[in-house]
């Protein structure tokens, strides 16, 4: 619980948190588009795996930044 209190006192303005949440949503949208490409459109298995790996990295980044935004308030 102490960690949440310390995280809430980071001093980041509300507008900055809004932009961070927009970037988080953007990362998740890009991840979903890349997953669609990797599963439906790309037939080469190696390229498909690389695109899927990039998509999952974007998804993890988007998730972690959204958790940061939610836990900051």
């Amino acid at each position: 619980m102490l960690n949440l209190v310390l995280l809430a006192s980071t001093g980041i303005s509300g507008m900055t948190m809004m932009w961070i949440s927009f970037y988080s949503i953007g990362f998740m949208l890009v991840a979903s588009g890349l997953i669609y490409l990797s599963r439906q459109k790309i037939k080469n298995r190696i390229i498909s795996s690389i695109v899927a790996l990039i998509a999952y990295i974007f998804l993890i980044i988007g998730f972690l930044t959204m958790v940061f935004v939610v836990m900051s308030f």
Side-chain angles (χ1 to χ4, degrees):
M1 190 64 164
L2 180 62
N3 291 337
L4 292 177
V5 173
L6 291 176
L7 189 61
S9 65
T10 56
I12 298 176
S13 70
M15 289 298 283
T16 304
M17 294 304 281
M18 178 192 74
W19 283 109
I20 292 172
S21 71
F22 286 162
Y23 290 135
S24 175
I25 292 168
F27 279 134
M28 290 183 195
L29 285 174
V30 169
S32 92
L34 288 175
I35 288 294
Y36 170 75
L37 282 176
S38 113
R39 291 185 180 177
Q40 301 294 325
K41 300 294 182 184
I42 300 174
K43 300 301 180 195
N44 188 346
R45 189 160 175 88
I46 295 171
I47 295 173
S48 176
S49 297
I50 292 170
V51 170
L53 179 66
I54 292 168
Y56 286 121
I57 290 170
F58 278 162
L59 186 65
I60 290 168
I61 291 170
F63 170 74
L64 291 176
T65 54
M66 191 58 73
V67 166
F68 173 72
V69 168
V70 170
M71 292 298 174
S72 293
F73 283 105

